[in-house]
């Protein structure tokens, strides 16, 4: 009886599953509707089973994506995209998570940092690095023409499920 009372005393948010607490605020695997009630977004978009919330944190935007009400991706988009900031974030992540995997794609002529930056701005290349962790999520640091410089935390299984639903037409 005491155990039931003790569990009931905690808020619902504390009881929801959380693969990773991202940016000390967003819970990968958590309920997006509960989170949106507790922290109303600047913008909310819905498309069937998909929900996107957008938050502004200073000059940066945070995109919170969910499928079937479960949060599967949190992406911080940096207002200023530069080689210096990319390298700074890369070093911090490498120190914490190890070497990771380079998934950058550049044309053959883009061998120097300045040529790579030009290729990114023209949409001819992208810088991307991924770190996988055994807890069922991974990080992606990327710099593209479309999104600029961003850091995303992604729940692996939920991402696979929503991608599979997209490919199958559901």
């Amino acid at each position: 009886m005491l155990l039931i009372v003790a569990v009931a005393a905690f808020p619902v948010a504390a009881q929801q599953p959380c693969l990773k607490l991202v940016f000390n605020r967003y819970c990968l695997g958590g309920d997006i509707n509960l989170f949106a009630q507790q922290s109303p977004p600047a913008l909310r978009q819905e498309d069937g089973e998909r929900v996107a919330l957008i938050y502004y944190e200073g000059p940066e935007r945070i995109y919170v994506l969910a499928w079937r009400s479960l949060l599967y991706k949190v992406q911080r988009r940096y207002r200023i995209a530069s080689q210096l900031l990319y390298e700074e974030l890369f070093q911090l992540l490498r120190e914490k998570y190890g070497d990771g995997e380079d998934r950058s794609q550049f044309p053959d002529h883009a061998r120097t940092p300045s040529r790579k930056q030009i290729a990114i701005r023209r949409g001819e290349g992208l810088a991307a690095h991924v770190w996988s962790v055994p807890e069922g999520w991974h990080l992606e640091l990327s710099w593209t023409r479309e999104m600029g410089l961003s850091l995303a935390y992604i729940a692996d299984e939920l991402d696979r499920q929503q991608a599979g639903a997209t490919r199958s037409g559901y």
Side-chain angles (χ1 to χ4, degrees):
M1 181 82 166
L2 289 175
L3 180 62
I4 294 171
V5 172
V7 170
F10 287 100
V12 176
Q15 295 175 20
Q16 66 179 340
C18 191
L19 292 173
K20 167 76 174 163
L21 185 62
V22 178
F23 306 131
N24 293 318
R25 183 174 177 191
Y26 311 96
C27 180
L28 277 183
D31 184 296
I32 191 102
N33 295 313
L34 179 62
F35 181 77
Q37 286 175 356
Q38 295 170 348
S39 183
L43 182 63
R44 180 183 180 116
Q45 294 180 338
E46 295 186 36
D47 182 16
E49 295 181 308
R50 299 176 197 290
V51 176
L53 306 179
I54 300 175
Y55 294 90
Y56 297 101
E57 292 188 2
E60 299 162 359
R61 290 184 181 163
I62 307 291
Y63 298 89
V64 179
L65 305 178
W67 183 69
R68 292 187 175 168
S69 299
L70 297 177
L71 200 152
Y72 75 89
K73 182 176 185 178
V74 178
Q75 184 171 19
R76 179 184 298 260
R77 181 177 176 194
Y78 294 88
R79 189 178 132 241
I80 297 173
S82 69
Q83 184 70 32
L84 183 64
L85 182 55
Y86 182 88
E87 290 296 327
E88 182 180 311
L89 291 168
F90 174 78
Q91 290 301 328
L92 288 170
L93 294 167
R94 194 170 116 195
E95 287 173 12
K96 186 168 185 172
Y97 298 106
D99 290 334
E101 178 186 350
D102 185 8
R103 295 188 185 168
S104 300
Q105 299 174 6
F106 292 101
D108 292 337
H109 64 81
R111 292 191 179 107
T112 66
S114 61
R115 291 283 184 188
K116 289 178 180 181
Q117 189 171 355
I118 291 168
I120 291 168
R121 290 195 174 146
R122 288 182 175 167
E124 299 169 352
L126 63 95
H129 212 89
V130 176
W131 290 267
S132 295
V133 295
E135 290 84 11
W137 56 273
H138 67 277
L139 297 109
E140 293 180 2
L141 176 63
S142 62
W143 186 8
T144 66
R145 179 180 183 177
E146 296 79 19
M147 281 298 289
L149 182 58
S150 67
L151 176 61
Y153 290 78
I154 302 165
D156 296 333
E157 184 58 32
L158 290 171
D159 188 44
R160 273 192 288 277
Q161 290 175 14
Q162 69 83 27
T166 300
R167 284 190 297 274
S168 69
Y170 290 100

